[in-house]
């Protein structure tokens, strides 16, 4: 089984424009496991999509607020991002399609 990650971290409309890619990937790789990485603000576009097996949500707005907060250290923010990236690495994706710039 091929493990595929699609990264789309842009705006709402960009995520909608990405959705036709999912059935195409499933057609090409019928036994694939398809995951999507997107901004938390736009999760509702992806939830319930029958072609997606897993959704990873990145909270860009929350991260920016956290970095501006004086009560949270830069290292703590870095550690949080690092842990998130490690979660993705652990999935050992065979194919990553980065739609984001």
């Amino acid at each position: 089984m091929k493990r595929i990650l699609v990264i789309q971290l842009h705006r709402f409309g960009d995520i909608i424009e990405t959705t036709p890619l999912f059935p195409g990937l499933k057609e090409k790789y019928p036994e694939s496991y398809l995951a999507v990485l997107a901004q938390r603000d736009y999760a509702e576009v992806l939830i319930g999509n029958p072609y997606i097996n897993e959704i990873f949500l990145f909270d860009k707005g929350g991260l920016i607020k956290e970095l501006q907060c004086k009560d949270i250290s830069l290292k703590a923010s870095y550690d949080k991002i690092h842990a998130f990236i490690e979660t993705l690495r652990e999935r050992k994706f065979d194919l990553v399609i980065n739609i984001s710039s």
Side-chain angles (χ1 to χ4, degrees), residues 33-86:
Y33 182 90
L34 180 59
V36 179
L37 169 59
Q39 284 194 59
R40 180 174 303 281
D41 295 342
Y42 311 125
E44 67 273 7
V45 176
L46 302 170
I47 294 172
N49 186 307
Y51 301 102
I52 299 173
N53 299 99
E54 187 172 14
I55 302 170
F56 295 96
L57 299 175
F58 183 72
D59 187 6
K60 180 180 171 184
L63 177 63
I64 290 169
K65 287 179 186 174
E66 190 174 286
L67 289 170
Q68 293 171 341
C69 179
K70 293 180 181 177
D71 296 335
I72 300 171
S73 72
L74 182 59
K75 175 152 179 11
S77 295
Y78 171 84
D79 289 344
K80 193 178 204 180
I81 293 169
H82 185 265
F84 183 77
I85 292 169
E86 285 303 311

Side-chain angles (χ1 to χ4, degrees), residues 75-101:
K75 175 152 179 11
S77 295
Y78 171 84
D79 289 344
K80 193 178 204 180
I81 293 169
H82 185 265
F84 183 77
I85 292 169
E86 285 303 311
T87 299
L88 295 174
R89 283 186 179 157
E90 288 169 2
R91 298 297 197 282
K92 298 188 187 300
F93 291 105
D94 301 301
L95 175 65
V96 177
I97 302 170
N98 185 1
I99 308 291
S100 303
S101 54

